[in-house]
Amino acid sequence: MNEQRLSMLKKFTAEEPNDPFNWYALANEYLTESPEKAKEYFDKLLLEFPDYLPTYYHAAQVYIDLMEDEKALSIYTQGIALAQKQQNSKAHRELSAAHQNLLFEME
């Protein structure tokens, strides 16, 4: 984990706490080395910025990594609905494919 980048991202979230991208970037910084911490930030995004579509794919992946597949399915489903609402066909395809893959893996 790059401590300098992490420090900079934390500064951005403090300066602009209402910008979901800052929280998203911070969550992604934690993905590989601290998935539990990443999950905290993704949960914050899902709760406080539910219309920020990029959150859904990565948040679901964190839950899969933490072996919480049912929660991941729920997040994918919410993201698919949001992508439809926002008419974002690319995100809709990606989320739908990931959802189907997870369902297949859970069988």
Side-chain angles (χ1 to χ4, degrees):
M1 192 172 331
N2 184 321
E3 292 300 323
Q4 185 177 8
R5 185 170 46 232
L6 192 58
S7 176
M8 181 181 63
L9 291 169
K10 287 180 179 180
K11 180 180 177 222
F12 290 161
T13 59
E15 291 173 352
E16 296 181 69
N18 294 323
D19 183 348
F21 178 77
N22 292 331
W23 296 104
Y24 177 76
L26 186 56
N28 278 298
E29 189 64 27
Y30 281 106
L31 273 177
T32 54
E33 292 186 33
S34 183
E36 285 287 343
K37 190 69 171 172
K39 180 176 121 174
E40 289 178 30
Y41 288 115
F42 282 122
D43 286 345
K44 176 182 180 62
L45 281 158
L46 292 168
L47 181 65
E48 296 180 20
F49 305 99
D51 291 335
Y52 192 67
L53 187 55
T55 302
Y56 290 84
Y57 184 87
H58 293 289
Q61 287 299 127
V62 166
Y63 276 93
I64 291 168
D65 292 345
L66 296 172
M67 299 160 87
E68 296 183 45
D69 292 350
E70 292 298 328
K71 178 68 174 176
L73 284 174
S74 173
I75 292 169
Y76 281 139
T77 301
Q78 293 169 22
I80 291 165
L82 181 60
Q84 285 177 316
K85 178 181 170 188
Q86 293 182 359
Q87 298 180 347
N88 186 324
S89 58
K90 182 177 187 272
H92 184 267
R93 280 191 310 274
E94 290 173 351
L95 289 163
S96 294
H99 182 265
Q100 289 300 322
N101 288 338
L102 181 55
L103 283 173
F104 180 75
E105 290 174 15
M106 290 172 66
E107 289 182 354

